[in-house]
Amino acid sequence: MSTNTLYGIFDDEEVLLASVKEIRANNIEIEEVFSPFAIHGLDKALGLKETRMAIMAFIYGCLGLSLGALMIYNIMIVDWPQNIGGKPNFTFYHNMPAFVPILFECTVLFAAHLMSITYLIRCGLFPGGTSDSPDERTTDDKFLMVINVDGDSSPVKEMLTKTGATEINEKEA
Amino acid sequence: MHKEAEIRDPLILGNKTYHDISKDIAKPVEGKANKYWWILFSLSLVLFIWGVLCIAYTIGTGIGAWGLNKTVGWAWDITNFVWWIGIGHAGTLISAVLLLFRQKWRMSINRSAEAMTIFAVVQAALFPLIHMGRPWLAYYVFPIPNQFGSLWMNFNSPLIWDVFAISTYFSVSVVFWYIGLIPDFAMIRDRMSATISPMKKKLYSLLSFGWSGKAKHWQRFEEVSLVLAGLATPLVFSVHSIVSMDFATSIVPGWHTTIFPPYFVLGALFSGFAMVETLLIIMRKVVSLESYITIKHIEYMNVIIILTGSLVGTAYMTELFMSWYSGVEFEQYAFLNRATGPYWWAYAIMMTCNVLTPQLYWIKSIRTSFVATFVISIFINIGMWFERFVIIVTSLHRDYLPSAWTMFSPTFIDIGIFLGTIGFFFTLFLLYSRTFPVIAQAELKSILKSSGSEYKNKK
């Protein structure tokens, strides 16, 4: 039995969203959806797990804060303690109010950059990467649903047409 | 889907479809530049080259080429630095703070406002760099392990805080901007024909990082944008607070005030919005974006200008009151001298442009006029430059000993470098307007149904 890939193309995101819900309710697995913009509620409708990007950002922020504190401690307290305008320079704790701005900047710097890098890596985005969208119009005004079908594809096709697909293409494996 | 009250004015005019949005936003990239673009570009380029020559002269001969003297050691350069940094702030406010508040009107303007931020920070960073006198030693400001007995910079110093704040601000702004640009570059890539313009297609493929718009990617994109906005919001407030601490932590009368951080942040937002208006009113004409940057957008920005302008006015009054109330003779003189001393005219320009002019926006017909807004935005840009000039020069030019009292007047090199940065800024902005998707089209498409005029009329 061969596996065929169906591409259902939609013109409207609301129709697509309704269609995704309908198709998934009929126990048909949707491989992927390509869209020109973020559709709210689509991730839930597709049953995607919540993303953990924000948690990563928090961890990276903590890392930035710790590394920033370590750097300043080493430079200002351990390596070369100096009396600057009588500010307490014996302990990190006493001198810390003056370090708050830089500790904050280090936190933001690490959280923002490392999260963005994680995002790019997790999505496989890099300079020179190629798009794997089956149809170039998905960055313009079309919404595309990919469904893999084993055997007879006509019931799925019918389903797609019924739920509002304006165009259906089939690729044989 | 988004829902929106029907009485709200539409944010996208004309009967646009998703495809129309792609077409309109890709047009400046795909088409040829018009006459106005070339005129503006040539002018900016000439100014830029003039600025480069003045910078080269300054570095060749030394800071003596400027109008500084022993008493007034900071003047035009730092004025320009604070002015440019301030301008940058509106970009982050629009893209980050308005995202957190879910303001849909930001979507037509955030891309260009962020571009403005980045280009303005580039101009700002030039000034401390040149002022170092030996810019090739600029790496000394970073904590780089070295062999000078391990010579580190001083983390107690607001100038070092500034280095960290501005580097972080610049790099995070670039990242925030680029994460949003990826889907829009992909749209342009997919419109380009591989046979007609293969080079362009290659270039935009490279820039779009292979974006395809998968559901999971969009989910992560939304979350990353939100978190970046959440990080950029305190960042933008911290940057100008730290810039103000360059002054506030000193003991110079007129600088040593606790009101400085909020006062500077508000001033920055105020001047930044004025610059966004100046740029967008020109840009909507030059690259035909009248349907997307509407009078409604301008009106919303004008409302923010009334608010920030009035708060800046309040800060001026508070400063005057506090100097009187402090009972400190030196503090009182510093402010009396600002208003009535030899630089009274600079103070008068500042007061007129920053406190009085924005009050005109209480009148609806002025608030909703492109011409009036454009004129007032220029006034505010000038006024905010003078605000920094007044704070810096009038506080310094009356030193502790009257024998050291002096005046500051700029040399043509001072003026040349300032004009050069304006040229550089507009050169970058004009190049951007022809090569980048100037509106965040992916975001804009998501509000077409709730805020497009055609869909609103149907309801």
Side-chain angles (χ1 to χ4, degrees):
Chain A
M1 215 159 57
S2 66
T3 308
N4 288 3
T5 310
L6 282 181
Y7 301 122
I9 296 177
F10 295 76
D11 287 347
D12 189 295
E13 76 275 17
E14 285 171 57
V15 178
L16 171 94
L17 198 60
S19 170
V20 165
K21 285 176 187 160
E22 178 86 27
I23 288 173
R24 274 178 49 90
N26 282 288
N27 288 326
I28 299 169
E29 200 191 332
I30 297 170
E31 192 66 28
E32 188 58 80
V33 172
F34 294 90
S35 65
F37 54 83
I39 304 166
H40 287 277
L42 181 66
D43 47 350
K44 287 215 176 66
L46 278 171
L48 294 178
K49 276 190 209 142
E50 270 187 43
T51 165
R52 288 162 295 180
M53 286 292 157
I55 300 168
M56 288 315 291
F58 179 76
I59 295 170
Y60 293 141
C62 293
L63 181 73
L65 182 68
S66 323
L67 287 180
L70 195 67
M71 170 184 77
I72 298 176
Y73 172 73
N74 267 305
I75 290 175
M76 296 296 290
I77 312 293
V78 178
D79 195 38
W80 197 272
Q82 295 175 85
N83 184 339
I84 296 156
K87 285 181 183 162
N89 60 338
F90 304 108
T91 59
F92 185 79
Y93 169 72
H94 283 103
N95 207 165
M96 207 191 67
F99 302 151
V100 167
I102 293 185
L103 291 177
F104 169 76
E105 303 301 336
C106 289
T107 311
V108 172
L109 185 78
F110 273 67
H113 286 280
L114 291 178
M115 177 185 62
S116 302
I117 292 169
T118 309
Y119 160 73
L120 293 178
I121 293 173
R122 291 290 289 139
C123 293
L125 300 170
F126 59 94
T130 44
S131 164
D132 49 5
S133 170
D135 195 311
E136 285 197 336
R137 290 171 300 170
T138 54
T139 51
D140 180 8
D141 61 345
K142 300 288 185 223
F143 305 82
L144 190 145
M145 198 193 289
V146 184
I147 301 174
N148 287 332
V149 191
D150 291 326
D152 185 20
S153 62
S154 51
V156 182
K157 274 188 189 166
E158 211 170 279
M159 187 86 198
L160 279 169
T161 322
K162 200 183 79 188
T163 53
T166 50
E167 197 182 318
I168 298 167
N169 300 321
E170 188 167 358
K171 202 178 83 180
E172 283 179 35
Chain B
M1 295 301 117
H2 295 288
K3 291 282 180 285
E4 191 179 278
E6 281 158 41
I7 48 166
R8 269 188 191 273
D9 288 316
L11 296 171
I12 302 167
L13 302 178
N15 296 335
K16 300 287 179 191
T17 60
Y18 294 138
H19 184 63
D20 291 334
I21 294 181
S22 308
K23 212 166 60 186
D24 290 344
I25 285 153
K27 210 173 88 187
V29 180
E30 291 166 346
K32 289 221 181 321
N34 61 18
K35 198 173 64 191
Y36 302 109
W37 189 89
W38 280 110
I39 294 172
L40 283 173
F41 185 71
S42 319
L43 270 173
S44 313
L45 203 61
V46 169
L47 277 181
F48 173 39
I49 292 167
W50 179 243
V52 170
L53 294 176
C54 289
I55 291 173
Y57 182 78
T58 304
I59 293 171
T61 40
I63 302 298
W66 293 355
L68 302 177
N69 49 53
K70 275 184 109 169
T71 310
V72 186
W74 274 6
W76 267 60
D77 49 334
I78 305 297
T79 303
N80 297 339
F81 162 73
V82 182
W83 188 69
W84 277 119
I85 279 283
I87 283 172
H89 278 49
T92 318
L93 187 95
I94 290 172
S95 55
V97 181
L98 297 185
L99 186 148
L100 296 181
F101 283 111
R102 299 283 177 210
Q103 293 295 305
K104 289 178 189 168
W105 59 275
R106 79 173 198 283
M107 290 175 185
S108 297
I109 55 177
N110 62 358
R111 178 68 40 76
S112 298
E114 279 176 65
M116 178 194 79
T117 296
I118 291 162
F119 303 149
V121 175
V122 170
Q123 311 312 323
L126 273 176
F127 286 98
L129 192 69
I130 308 166
H131 200 168
M132 285 177 186
R134 297 178 197 177
W136 51 92
L137 297 179
Y139 62 89
Y140 269 38
V141 300
F142 293 106
I144 298 166
N146 57 70
Q147 295 180 342
F148 307 110
S150 241
L151 186 66
W152 301 107
M153 67 286 192
N154 169 18
F155 282 92
N156 292 304
S157 163
L159 295 177
I160 290 303
W161 302 348
D162 228 5
V163 171
F164 275 78
I166 289 167
S167 332
T168 306
Y169 183 48
F170 179 73
S171 64
V172 171
S173 297
V174 171
V175 166
F176 194 14
W177 192 50
Y178 205 87
I179 293 286
L181 270 166
I182 291 173
D184 296 356
F185 277 137
M187 182 276 284
I188 293 182
R189 171 200 70 202
D190 288 345
R191 282 179 60 86
M192 294 272 173
S193 151
T195 46
I196 299 169
S197 43
M199 276 309 286
K200 271 190 174 177
K201 176 117 183 157
K202 259 200 196 113
L203 180 69
Y204 285 100
S205 307
L206 206 63
L207 290 171
S208 63
F209 284 19
W211 175 266
S212 55
K214 288 180 182 154
K216 187 72 194 176
H217 293 186
W218 276 121
Q219 185 201 31
R220 291 191 185 124
F221 176 91
E222 292 269 286
E223 177 119 335
V224 166
S225 305
L226 187 67
V227 175
L228 279 177
L231 289 168
T233 302
L235 181 64
V236 71
F237 292 116
S238 83
V239 172
H240 226 64
S241 299
I242 291 174
V243 169
S244 82
M245 287 175 205
D246 291 347
F247 305 100
T249 54
S250 74
I251 51 162
V252 176
W255 286 4
H256 186 67
T257 54
T258 46
I259 200 181
F260 258 30
Y263 163 27
F264 266 52
V265 170
L266 286 166
L269 297 176
F270 178 56
S271 67
F273 269 93
M275 189 55 116
V276 171
E277 289 187 336
T278 313
L279 288 175
L280 289 182
I281 290 175
I282 300 173
M283 200 179 79
R284 70 190 284 279
K285 279 281 166 211
V286 174
V287 291
S288 333
L289 294 170
E290 286 94 339
S291 304
Y292 304 103
I293 301 167
T294 68
I295 194 67
K296 202 68 205 165
H297 292 90
I298 299 291
E299 195 189 345
Y300 284 135
M301 284 194 270
N302 285 338
V303 171
I304 294 186
I305 285 184
I306 302 180
L307 177 74
T308 49
S310 306
L311 285 168
V312 165
T314 313
Y316 293 163
M317 297 306 145
T318 312
E319 261 193 337
L320 289 177
F321 172 78
M322 287 312 291
S323 66
W324 167 75
Y325 189 67
S326 68
V328 180
E329 212 180 334
F330 305 102
E331 196 68 24
Q332 287 170 345
Y333 175 74
F335 283 89
L336 197 66
N337 179 51
R338 270 188 197 175
T340 60
Y343 285 113
W344 68 270
W345 51 273
Y347 191 80
I349 294 175
M350 166 185 114
M351 278 295 186
T352 323
C353 294
N354 295 348
V355 184
L356 300 179
T357 343
Q359 300 305 322
L360 290 172
Y361 284 144
W362 289 106
I363 304 162
K364 178 132 184 159
S365 56
I366 293 179
R367 191 166 73 224
T368 52
S369 149
F370 284 112
V371 180
T373 303
F374 186 75
V375 174
I376 293 175
S377 74
I378 299 282
F379 268 91
I380 296 172
N381 286 329
I382 296 172
M384 284 308 292
W385 189 88
F386 272 99
E387 181 202 289
R388 279 64 178 255
F389 181 81
V390 165
I391 291 173
I392 293 165
V393 175
T394 64
S395 299
L396 286 177
H397 85 131
R398 291 292 177 254
D399 210 342
Y400 297 104
L401 288 175
S403 61
W405 286 10
T406 180
M407 294 291 283
F408 167 82
S409 49
T411 60
F412 81 96
I413 297 286
D414 275 310
I415 301 168
I417 295 179
F418 178 52
L419 293 178
T421 54
I422 293 179
F424 190 16
F425 176 76
F426 277 95
T427 305
L428 289 172
F429 199 82
L430 287 163
L431 286 174
Y432 149 83
S433 74
R434 299 262 308 113
T435 46
F436 279 59
V438 291
I439 285 178
Q441 54 90 27
E443 279 191 280
L444 200 65
K445 282 173 184 168
S446 72
I447 62 158
L448 177 67
K449 285 197 168 173
S450 58
S451 308
S453 64
E454 188 199 4
Y455 289 90
K456 286 223 148 201
N457 293 337
K458 267 187 201 162
K459 280 177 189 165

